[in-house]
Amino acid sequence: MKRKVMWVAGLSLTIVMLIIGNIGFKQIFSLPEGFLATYDEIESANNNRIFGSLVSAQMQRSSQEAATNSPSEGTIVFKLFGFIPIRKMSVICSNEDEVYVGGVPIGLSISTSGAIVINEKMVETEEGFKDTHKSERFREGDLVTAVNGVKVSSLDELCEVIESSENENFEITYKRKNKLHKAIIKGERDVATGKFKLGLWVRDDVSGVGTLTYVNKETSAFAALGHAITDNDNSVDVFQGKVYDARLLGIDKGEKNDPGQLRCMFLTTDDVKGEIYKNTKYGIFGKLTDKEGLVDQNRLLKLGGRLSVSPGKAYIVSSVSGIREEYEIEIIKASYQAKADDKSMVFRVKDKRLLELTGGIVQGMSGSPIIQNGKLVGAVTHVFMSDPTKGYGVYSDWMVANEA
């Protein structure tokens, strides 16, 4: 009897271990709530047994939005043997809108929500030049966001709040490395105007060049860059921003410990191509008013979420040669990412044409679209400093989630 019990227990344990071994726990439980998915991606994941040979995923839109064509909330249920629920999670059901493929450099000019510190200076008073007796020193790149509790979104607003004050003590709220700090500064009266000054050189705009990733065919909403525009480690808050056509002047090839760059220029006197609304960890977002020269209007693709991405052959789109071309890469690693990150995948440049032109990935190529299996699945974000032939990419669904 004892031997029979042990045999039954051993058989039960073996069955349990076999079941567990055929469940993709990591793939199932590392997926974050609210990620982007399409019905065909779920079907493909089931067919390829991504979640294990004994588990299937079922996706359904929320009933009130099931008839719409726009992205909507829904649910995915992972079921063992097709009927035992393992996990239920929220998801964004993609409408599979088609997008124009980017791949060209664009000029980005942003007016910040605040004033960026350039340097400190003395204030000329009736008693001579004076320091403003700061409780702590400001650093280049600190972003002043409020004075005495009053929010300031520009250089003019900062000056207005300070110069209209009759109190010599100012509480300055500022951001450093994306963390808010406060400091008390004793202002000094300027000899020429009789108004208080803080003794800071500041500016309220930043500019740069990145690569356009995609443009929504129906709405003209665009995404670019794949990562945030920063100023001395501060993510730049957008007050308003504009997009311009950028001209490629030359290429500094990437080498080990030298990321190289695309040498581009743009003029803010040129025609504005669109508006920038958001600057996030996953790219720049806005709306184009003029797509001419920025997209190939004969080249449309659907966006693919992280379930569309797998190790293997893929392509990046870039116009480093002077025309928009696809270059072969190999996706080495595709992370499931339980939480948002702009380093979703690792890839290596395989195309000899691109290696000869740039040495791999260089600064300015951030935002270059990544295409796999006929879908736009992500964008280039960073290069490996130790090896310019390798880079990181962000999934397109992280970008789509930050459009709104």
Side-chain angles (χ1 to χ4, degrees), residues 2 10 21 26 103 129 137 223 239 245 254 276 293:
K2 183 176 180 182
K26 179 180 179 181
F129 286 94
R137 312 303 295 187
F239 178 61
D245 194 5
I276 300 170

Side-chain angles (χ1 to χ4, degrees), residues 259-273:
Q261 65 175 333
L262 301 182
R263 286 184 278 109
C264 301
M265 69 164 289
F266 69 95
L267 301 174
T268 55
T269 54
D270 288 347
D271 293 336
V272 175
K273 291 288 192 176

Side-chain angles (χ1 to χ4, degrees), residues 35 81 105 114-115 158 181 203 231 249 267 280 295 307 338 361 365 369:
F35 77 93
F81 304 127
L158 175 65
H181 304 269
R203 57 184 170 87
D231 190 282
L249 303 179
L267 301 174
T280 78
V295 299
L307 294 180
I361 303 300
M365 290 178 68

